[in-house]
Amino acid sequence: MPDYDPDPLCQDAVVIGGGFYGAAIAVYLAGQRGLKRVVLVEQESALMTRASYNNQARVHNGYHYPRSFTTAYRSRVNLPKFVRDWPLAIKQDFTKLYAIARRNSKVTARQFERFCRDIGASIQPADPGLKALFEPRLIEDVYRVEEYAFDTAQLSSWAARELQDSCVQIRYQTRVTSILKGAQAPLQVVMQTSQGHQDVIACRYVFNCTYSGLNQMAGDFPGVSAGLKQEITEMALMQLPASLSDLGITVMDGPFFSMMPFPARGLHTLSHVRYTPHLHWNDQQEINPYQRLDRYERDTRVDRMLRDVGRYIPEVLKAKYIDSLFEVKTVLLKNESDDGRPILFERHLELPGCYSVLGGKIDNIYDVLETLEAEKFFGSDNQGKC
């Protein structure tokens, strides 16, 4: 017999996943769509401790995607909104540089300039002093651009405040195990706490925002139809020398690297296209990505990153390695060739009222919210009946 109430009070919506997307969707449903009973379920003990934290902390402005015009343009549209809506989380007090490699780059400097003009992104030649940081035999040109970083600690504080003000109930250290077609309610969400206690929530709507865990629910949940690729990745946290500490740098476009401020720790992330991904596989329901990450030997590749980056920017060899952030990164298989990062927003027709959401970048949240605007939602009555 189950150790949960077989006839629970019906909730309006259950959002699975307490990352930035899950929190923002829960706040949106409660604050703008009038759903009064919203529950957020998070496997960790706090909000935004997984992929929302363990990443490059970049608010994109389109420069990074010369091979995906749609992704680049959406970033250009979304960045001003993100700066407007989360000003306390935005770090702007650094100079952002994009450099084009002479060899093995998939775009030339001239092509990059034309691309930036096409998407309306600000670009200007870097000052001679900044350009002098780069090895001219390997770098064709260097540009000063407008791009920012975000502070996950600030975003987490915002989420906690807004969820409380919106009366969203949060269940921490709780994992959703299955989603079922309900008998008395449209849907039932079966959960298990870290202490092993099982519970169920009856609800009208479910939003699966579990990122790498999208396909890890059992029951009647059909899984997402899009193919997913999982990667175990490493972001090296570095203390940069004074000559680089006020900079963010990206070398384009191919097997190169980025250094970005990481405001939550007062450091910089160092990522490398060749060395940041440690392991990858096509997503399968029987392979739990987070369990695979837990079992993975987290041997840093920072020495290899620095050795290659130092050829392009010799000053980086003075940097001090502090730590590494290991996480599972999830991307759509269809976008591997063009490096695009669209959202995945899927309505599960076999399970009406159930949605799966995957964001490629933090600013994609506006693409999700715009999509949700077209959906019709109905709340439960005052007695909690569906």
Side-chain angles (χ1 to χ4, degrees), residues 20 28 32 59-61 74-92 148-150 155 158 161-162 362-363 365-367 369-370 373:
F20 179 71
Y28 166 81
Q32 298 185 44
V59 186
H60 283 274
N61 202 12
R74 289 305 302 175
S75 292
R76 286 284 301 119
V77 171
N78 291 334
L79 179 137
K81 300 177 185 177
F82 198 93
V83 173
R84 176 198 67 202
D85 292 340
W86 287 281
L88 296 179
I90 299 298
K91 180 178 175 63
Q92 304 183 44
Y148 310 130
F150 63 86
L155 288 178
W158 163 84
R161 290 193 305 270
E162 290 295 317
I362 198 165
D363 56 88
I365 188 61
Y366 295 101
D367 299 340
L369 298 181
E370 287 177 15
E373 283 291 324

Side-chain angles (χ1 to χ4, degrees), residues 286-303:
E286 59 270 21
I287 301 177
N288 186 309
Y290 297 117
Q291 291 179 358
R292 195 162 195 178
L293 175 63
D294 289 341
R295 295 193 298 265
Y296 185 71
E297 293 289 338
R298 303 184 184 196
D299 295 328
T300 181
R301 295 178 177 175
V302 70
D303 288 346

